[in-house]
Amino acid sequence: MIDTQAIVEQYGLTACIQCGKCTGGCPISPKSALNPRALIYQMLRGDEFELVARDELWDCTTCSTCGLRCPKGVKAVDLIIGLRGQWIESGKIPSTLRAPLTATLNQGNPLVLPREDRSLWADGLNVKPMAEGVEIAMFTCCENAYDPRVQPMPRALVNIFRAANVDFGTLGLDEQCCGSEIRRIGESGLFEYLRDDNIDKFKTTGVKKMVTTSPHCFNVYKNEYGTTGFAVEHYTQTVARLIDDGKLEFSKKFEATVTYQDPCFLGKQNGIYDEPRAILKAIPGVKFVDMDRSRERSMCCEGGGGRMWLEGTNAKVRLANDRIQQALETGANVLATACPFCFLTLSDAVIATGNEEKIKIIDILQIANQAL
Amino acid sequence: MKPRIGVYICHCGLNIANTVDVEAARDFASTLPNVVAARRYTYMCSDPGQALITNDIKELKLTHVVVASCSPRMHEPTFRATIQKAGLNPYVLEMANIREQCSWVHSDRKLATLKAMDLVASAVAKVAWLVPLQEREVNVSQAALIVGGGIAGMQAALDIADAGFQAYLVEKQPYLGGRAAQLYATFPTMERVSDLLAPLMKRVNEHPNIRVMTNADVQKVDGFVGNFRATIRERPTFVDATKCDACSKCIDACSVSMPDEFNAKLTTRRAIYRPTPDSPFVIDEQRCTYIQDHVCLTTSSPIFDRGGAACVTACSQNAIDFSQSEKMSEVNIGAIIVATGAATFDAANKPELGFGTYANVITSLQFERLAARPEGFGRPFGSVKDVIFIQCVGSRDQTTGNLYCSRICCMVNAKQAHIVKGKFPDARVTVFYADVRAFGKGHEEFYDAVRKQGVRYRRGYVSEVFKRDNRIVVRAEDTLMQKSVEVEADLVVLGIGLTPRAETDEIASLLGLPRSGDGFLLEIHPKLRPVETAVDGVFLAGTCQGPKDIVDTIAQARAAASSALAPLCRGKVRVESATAFVNEEVCAGCGLCVATCPYGAPALNPRTGKARVNAVLCKGCGACQAACPSKAIQVVQFTPRQIISEIAVLV
């Protein structure tokens, strides 16, 4: 049983006016028992609260819409993460999370793959090790580093950087998970270990600027690492600026009608809406169309907050499937992403909905790389 | 002559006596130099308490008095009057604050008593140096300036004018009526706002004591209560209202187009336009290309060809006159009423609600404009079967920075739901709310009636508005059902709140008015002095002080007018007695005091080169005294000698 009074104080829940804006905006609440407002109300009432009966806590994608829209500054997402943490502490970890968490501790990635394979994605690219001194540290998400379906993105970024004469490098085999999803699963101890270890590693290289391939890594470095000594950007910011400064030019056409999935960790949580669109619009041949639900009203792909390793309580309804439908309604034949999780969930959804012939999921990096 | 000081220690019931040993304090006070009487009493401010003081003054021939009780803000005026009654000058009194600064904030009786003794000793040391001062009064300019010609400003001007005094009513827009002029009907009585405004405007325009200045702004204000001087700029309208026959041909001829603010941007207007359906025609100086760029957008004629502007050619009455220029006037007034109103929340700042993205998501202000059309609220967006009202848009919301409740929107939504139901009885009208605040007279009854009419209230803030299959979908949680819901709608009305106007900074710095945390102008006390400001003689009326409905606006306007009338009726105002003076022997004429004074009181005498203080302007704040390197300028009752004597006994 949990100490509801302590929770109320820790998350400032007395500010809540039970208006329901959190639940009304939660992408998961229509398909799950997850109700952030009711959860807060239960804490405030101080009723007995048994975690084990609340499987829906694992449904949250940590898209953070609840907290971002709350008129009273309450962060329901933080409460959910906190409750997951208590669950994890009790040792009753959902079975599909055990291997990713153990592998992150032992191998530095949740994909349960060996640490010495971290740089396989860059095979043959001769990426400079950061120890030699570079202007920009390129940070590759574990997904991008290990999952062959999203390995082309960091390879494309390497090409783009070279085309724009950017001096960059990676930590190579010293690179490891940023801990963003680990923290959201509720394993705060492991997150703190990764954070401290990563800060130390980057500090020794003296690098002043980091560019990440994933919005999740970007967000955690920017907002949850505290003082790091280096600035962090998501690649969409960097590439958009390279285009703006005339350092990156496209010589080929990418003929397609393209729409774009705002990653929650880039858009809603960090307000980066314009840069990804600016890149797409700068590519010759691209006809850009927005979906109705875009920017602040964008819909989560259901891949964040540990959901890559958790099916959730209702696997029949998948937000990514709806999203494909919405993308098709725009007349687009390409749905561009800027996040490896979005890429993977949406790619699965294209197959699940049988739309392989109609629409393709392609990351902005791949589109830009093809147009170089 | 040696001073003869009386010390009076108040118990304040048990407020002081519980923490301070008043008997010990009294014994201590009687040992202090020049003290000839030391007494204590339960309530020194009571009649018997005051009698102790007056008796001693008469019988013991006291020259100075110390009262050790509460804050001087509480009872200094009381005791000044007491000693004056007994024949002393009211300024030879010193208060020792042993309540707020001692008994209320300490718990250790022994230490609190020692501190009370110190405070009394300090006051006794200072009081001996206090000198009698003259109370001074100056004549008042018996007129008032009212800034803002909305419903508050008009009502205040009428009250001033009806009392027989001149009122200057300055309005920034080319028309009177302010925000109310945009509204259709009032809650809960459903009267047409135009029916309320028209007689008010007529009386204002025809009143011999009111000078209306529209298209005008206040450029400068100086002086003080009773004697302000304001510079007012009236901008040209470029249309001679005496010639114009309102044929509108000029409007048809103009090619400049921009959103019409009066119509809440639902329509566009031209550079030459009629700001409201009944106001005279004006040319928007900022938008007319003929004025700004010297080329008419329609004819491409340059300005040297005077007849070349399309509006001029179109006008058969020769009413358009580009030679008009702005007019500056200076007025002397005794009081100022600020009634500058509020802005409406910009719904684009809540992007999740789809305003600006979907034509059938409108604001409550736009609803008023639609309802005010001659044909009434109709079907501007096709069929009206499902209408959703969303409350608290931009209010009570940290994400917008507006933490306050805007007080009007609950009833505005109810009223508009009532209008929709009246026009389309079969429409499904839903109000999404978190709390319904129907606190005014007749409001709860109106809310009851609206629900009875069939308007459904669902509890939950709307979180998102989007489109599906070409219909608007509203997403919320029905918190009472504990269920996420999606509701389709033909029309969504956002209940937008009120915010401080962007120009609030200008008026605040013009008059030196502080603002509250919410950005609105700040009253001096939220309960007891709701219309007065930190600046004597400047009063607040209407929504510039905070969101309020017409009822409260009128009440506050009349309160502001009556407060402003006090100095006007009396004809004289008392000015500060404890003012600065200059010892010309010591003054080097450096001018630091002149530069430091916020009120413009000191000036260098061109003949002697020394500073001299205009005592009427001086507020006795002491800024000059702190700045003066040679202590040549000092404030009476706060001279270095007085202050040092006060400190010396403590250290």
Side-chain angles (χ1 to χ4, degrees):
Chain A
M1 235 176 41
I2 63 164
D3 180 352
T4 50
Q5 190 49 40
I7 294 263
V8 164
E9 276 165 34
Q10 187 180 353
Y11 299 102
L13 303 185
T14 50
C16 174
I17 56 167
Q18 290 289 302
C19 68
K21 187 122 181 167
C22 47
T23 304
C26 172
I28 295 301
S29 70
K31 57 169 261 188
S32 151
L34 185 67
N35 183 325
R37 179 201 53 77
L39 195 60
I40 292 170
Y41 192 54
Q42 283 161 343
M43 297 297 135
L44 286 167
R45 277 202 325 214
D47 292 353
E48 285 189 12
F49 190 94
E50 289 294 345
L51 281 168
V52 282
R54 309 302 291 266
D55 276 333
E56 72 270 18
L57 287 173
W58 298 103
D59 288 354
C60 173
T61 68
T62 68
C63 74
S64 298
T65 310
C66 51
L68 291 165
R69 289 187 187 156
C70 174
K72 298 295 172 187
V74 179
K75 306 280 177 219
V77 59
D78 289 349
L79 166 65
I80 293 168
I81 293 171
L83 292 174
R84 286 177 172 184
Q86 297 209 6
W87 198 322
I88 295 251
E89 256 171 46
S90 74
K92 300 185 188 89
I93 305 169
S95 57
T96 52
L97 287 180
R98 285 206 185 106
L101 289 174
T102 315
T104 305
L105 176 64
N106 296 331
Q107 301 299 334
N109 74 82
L111 284 86
V112 202
L113 287 163
R115 204 181 277 274
E116 53 271 25
D117 288 355
R118 178 110 198 162
S119 293
L120 285 182
W121 67 269
D123 230 17
L125 289 174
N126 295 318
V127 176
K128 202 160 131 188
M130 256 163 60
E132 290 177 17
V134 293
E135 203 182 309
I136 286 177
M138 176 173 158
F139 186 84
T140 320
C141 172
C142 300
E143 292 290 341
N144 289 129
Y146 287 103
D147 190 326
R149 293 173 294 174
V150 285
Q151 277 175 340
M153 289 109 197
R155 291 183 71 87
L157 185 57
V158 167
N159 262 348
I160 290 166
F161 275 163
R162 285 186 176 154
N165 292 316
V166 174
D167 178 28
F168 70 99
T170 68
L171 274 181
L173 294 182
D174 278 343
E175 191 180 73
Q176 64 179 352
C177 179
C178 67
S180 166
E181 303 310 284
I182 305 303
R183 191 181 90 74
R184 283 160 177 75
I185 285 167
E187 208 356 323
S188 53
L190 179 54
F191 166 69
E192 282 157 23
Y193 160 75
L194 292 168
R195 178 194 63 198
D196 295 347
D197 201 40
N198 283 336
I199 291 177
D200 281 350
K201 280 177 178 159
F202 280 105
K203 239 181 208 153
T204 49
T205 67
V207 74
K208 290 277 167 257
K209 191 166 162 188
M210 173 195 280
V211 175
T212 72
T213 57
S214 167
H216 294 250
C217 313
F218 161 70
N219 178 69
V220 79
Y221 279 116
K222 181 165 173 267
N223 301 318
E224 291 165 4
Y225 260 50
T227 314
T228 57
F230 54 85
V232 61
E233 278 187 349
H234 181 250
Y235 79 77
T236 50
Q237 297 173 284
T238 323
V239 173
R241 197 175 43 251
L242 289 173
I243 296 170
D244 223 30
D245 293 348
K247 289 180 183 151
L248 188 67
E249 280 171 11
F250 300 105
S251 55
K252 292 191 206 126
K253 276 190 169 179
F254 186 89
E255 299 275 7
T257 304
V258 182
T259 189
Y260 168 65
Q261 162 76 4
D262 282 289
C264 303
F265 283 65
L266 192 63
K268 279 179 179 171
Q269 292 182 35
N270 287 292
I272 297 164
Y273 299 111
D274 294 329
E275 290 89 337
R277 290 173 170 79
I279 299 170
L280 289 169
K281 287 174 185 172
I283 294 169
V286 167
K287 182 176 168 257
F288 183 77
V289 281
D290 249 325
M291 285 181 272
D292 173 62
R293 301 183 77 167
S294 61
R295 302 174 74 98
E296 291 91 347
R297 299 184 296 123
S298 183
M299 235 173 92
C300 177
C301 77
E302 228 180 323
R307 289 294 306 281
M308 288 309 284
W309 306 283
L310 290 160
E311 275 289 50
T313 56
N314 180 359
K316 278 182 221 144
V317 180
R318 290 181 192 269
L319 301 182
N321 292 4
D322 291 350
R323 203 58 175 150
I324 298 302
Q325 202 49 48
Q326 292 166 14
L328 285 170
E329 280 166 21
T330 66
N333 53 8
V334 170
L335 170 54
T337 59
C339 168
F341 292 155
C342 294
F343 182 94
L344 294 168
T345 52
L346 293 169
S347 298
D348 287 349
V350 170
I351 298 164
T353 56
N355 282 305
E356 295 101 313
E357 299 301 314
K358 291 187 191 146
I359 197 158
K360 290 199 160 35
I361 311 300
I362 312 183
D363 196 274
I364 289 179
L365 282 172
Q366 296 167 283
I367 299 176
N369 188 37
Q370 285 181 41
L372 284 178
Chain B
M1 195 184 95
K2 262 182 90 176
R4 297 173 62 78
I5 302 170
V7 180
Y8 300 88
I9 293 165
C10 180
H11 303 186
C12 196
L14 292 174
N15 272 296
I16 293 169
N18 246 359
T19 318
V20 171
D21 182 344
V22 283
E23 181 60 28
R26 193 207 65 86
D27 292 346
F28 167 78
S30 65
T31 65
L32 293 168
N34 300 323
V35 171
V36 294
R39 302 187 196 282
R40 61 182 178 84
Y41 191 69
T42 332
Y43 287 106
M44 208 52 88
C45 59
S46 67
D47 285 347
Q50 293 189 44
L52 285 177
I53 303 175
T54 49
N55 283 341
D56 281 354
I57 293 172
K58 284 172 192 155
E59 283 168 18
L60 300 173
K61 311 238 172 312
L62 299 183
T63 56
H64 297 81
V65 172
V66 168
V67 179
S69 59
C70 50
S71 159
R73 288 194 70 119
M74 187 75 204
H75 275 308
E76 192 175 59
T78 311
F79 293 114
R80 276 185 175 169
T82 308
I83 68 169
Q84 191 171 23
K85 249 188 299 179
L88 281 185
N89 182 283
Y91 289 90
V92 294
L93 167 82
E94 187 67 17
M95 302 279 291
N97 183 354
I98 60 168
R99 194 179 72 173
E100 284 87 341
Q101 292 180 351
C102 190
S103 70
W104 276 2
V105 289
H106 299 301
S107 48
D108 186 318
R109 189 170 166 86
K110 204 170 149 201
L111 290 174
T113 304
L114 287 175
K115 181 172 173 183
M117 288 174 176
D118 276 348
L119 291 168
V120 169
S122 176
V124 168
K126 185 190 176 191
V127 79
W129 294 104
L130 293 184
V131 291
L133 296 180
Q134 282 307 307
E135 303 241 290
R136 282 175 308 169
E137 290 193 323
V138 293
N139 288 333
V140 161
S141 300
Q142 287 174 303
L145 169 69
I146 297 102
V147 190
I151 203 158
M154 289 197 294
Q155 182 61 55
L158 279 173
D159 285 359
I160 301 278
D162 284 346
F165 300 101
Q166 175 71 41
Y168 299 98
L169 181 58
V170 175
E171 167 57 48
K172 194 171 217 157
Q173 295 292 337
Y175 57 90
L176 289 178
R179 183 71 63 202
Q182 289 177 281
L183 307 181
Y184 166 62
T186 60
F187 55 81
T189 54
M190 296 309 293
E191 281 171 280
R192 299 290 170 271
V193 178
S194 54
D195 292 348
L196 301 177
L197 274 182
L200 206 57
M201 280 193 220
K202 187 167 151 47
R203 280 200 64 212
V204 166
N205 279 319
E206 291 173 0
H207 206 297
N209 288 347
I210 301 179
R211 185 168 150 204
V212 176
M213 291 180 262
T214 49
N215 218 19
D217 49 77
V218 181
Q219 297 268 293
K220 196 180 147 199
V221 174
D222 42 35
F224 57 97
V225 55
N227 288 280
F228 292 108
R229 191 169 178 80
T231 310
I232 298 154
R233 179 183 64 155
E234 287 173 90
R235 297 186 305 278
T237 63
F238 303 103
V239 181
D240 185 341
T242 61
K243 289 184 186 165
C244 172
D245 65 354
C247 71
S248 295
K249 284 187 187 126
C250 54
I251 294 178
D252 298 338
C254 182
S255 309
V256 178
S257 180
M258 78 211 69
D260 186 346
E261 292 285 348
F262 185 79
N263 254 344
K265 299 186 180 172
L266 281 170
T267 55
T268 56
R269 67 165 170 87
R270 306 298 162 137
I272 188 164
Y273 71 115
R274 196 170 197 183
T276 76
D278 338 284
S279 63
F281 286 59
V282 293
I283 292 178
D284 183 340
E285 201 176 349
Q286 298 306 313
R287 293 306 194 103
C288 171
T289 59
Y290 198 61
I291 297 170
Q292 291 299 322
D293 312 327
H294 301 175
V295 180
C296 174
L297 191 68
T298 308
T299 64
S300 305
S301 283
I303 195 141
F304 51 77
D305 179 8
R306 283 233 169 260
C311 52
V312 175
T313 318
C315 182
S316 57
Q317 303 299 311
N318 221 6
I320 294 165
D321 178 6
F322 280 105
S323 70
Q324 285 183 4
S325 57
E326 64 182 30
K327 199 169 100 196
M328 303 295 258
S329 15
E330 288 205 336
V331 295
N332 293 315
I333 62 257
I336 299 173
I337 294 172
V338 180
T340 47
T344 50
F345 176 73
D346 181 358
N349 291 326
K350 296 294 289 173
E352 69 267 26
L353 298 181
F355 178 73
T357 307
Y358 308 121
N360 35 7
V361 176
I362 64 169
T363 68
S364 45
L365 186 63
Q366 290 181 322
F367 184 101
E368 293 292 316
R369 294 311 303 148
L370 290 170
R373 294 176 310 170
E375 65 271 33
F377 175 78
R379 303 167 173 256
F381 308 109
S383 71
V384 181
K385 282 207 189 73
D386 295 287
V387 183
I388 289 174
F389 287 88
I390 301 180
Q391 287 195 177
C392 298
V393 177
S395 307
R396 309 174 65 197
D397 187 349
Q398 288 190 8
T399 68
T400 64
N402 302 332
L403 304 189
Y404 51 86
C405 164
S406 282
R407 300 176 90 245
I408 56 163
C409 339
C410 283
M411 295 314 291
V412 169
N413 278 160
K415 173 192 74 180
Q416 295 180 343
H418 168 75
I419 292 171
V420 173
K421 265 294 194 187
K423 190 94 177 175
F424 305 108
D426 296 334
R428 285 180 292 264
V429 181
T430 308
V431 180
F432 277 99
Y433 73 101
D435 301 284
V436 174
R437 295 179 172 173
F439 50 83
K441 194 167 180 170
H443 291 189
E444 185 70 19
E445 294 89 325
F446 186 73
Y447 170 45
D448 289 341
V450 167
R451 289 194 325 278
K452 200 173 167 193
Q453 208 182 355
V455 173
R456 282 180 293 186
Y457 276 73
R458 288 187 93 165
R459 193 182 176 285
Y461 272 156
V462 168
S463 198
E464 204 159 293
V465 175
F466 57 92
K467 212 166 213 176
R468 188 166 50 213
D469 303 330
N470 263 328
R471 285 206 83 188
I472 295 288
V473 179
V474 165
R475 254 211 78 186
E477 185 202 1
D478 185 325
T479 59
L480 302 179
M481 297 293 291
Q482 309 222 33
K483 217 171 143 42
S484 252
V485 293
E486 291 183 350
V487 187
E488 293 191 355
D490 306 304
L491 180 65
V492 175
V493 184
L494 308 179
I496 50 171
L498 297 179
T499 64
R501 294 186 79 93
E503 314 92 282
T504 307
D505 259 342
E506 289 167 36
I507 191 84
S509 60
L510 189 74
L511 294 166
L513 301 178
R515 300 169 72 172
S516 38
D518 54 19
F520 290 98
L521 294 173
L522 180 65
E523 68 286 344
I524 205 158
H525 191 283
K527 291 198 186 300
L528 301 177
R529 301 170 74 186
V531 301
E532 293 149 277
T533 67
V535 182
D536 279 352
V538 178
F539 306 95
L540 303 176
T543 52
C544 65
Q545 181 257 345
K548 49 180 70 70
D549 64 7
I550 292 177
V551 178
D552 289 355
T553 295
I554 294 284
Q556 200 186 20
R558 307 200 74 161
S562 102
S563 301
L565 280 169
L568 303 193
C569 289
R570 198 164 164 267
K572 284 182 188 302
V573 282
R574 185 176 287 181
V575 292
E576 180 59 48
S577 299
T579 54
F581 66 97
V582 178
N583 181 348
E584 292 200 9
E585 302 283 304
V586 181
C587 176
C590 70
L592 268 179
C593 53
V594 180
T596 308
C597 179
Y599 308 101
L604 291 181
N605 182 330
R607 194 173 48 80
T608 61
K610 313 271 184 181
R612 180 176 280 182
V613 176
N614 179 347
V616 168
L617 294 178
C618 177
K619 296 274 181 194
C621 74
C624 54
Q625 177 167 322
C628 179
S630 54
K631 299 284 163 276
I633 192 164
Q634 299 186 355
V635 179
V636 285
Q637 308 305 52
F638 296 96
T639 63
R641 174 185 278 171
Q642 289 163 342
I643 291 170
I644 286 166
S645 66
E646 204 176 359
I647 297 168
V649 298
L650 297 178
V651 292

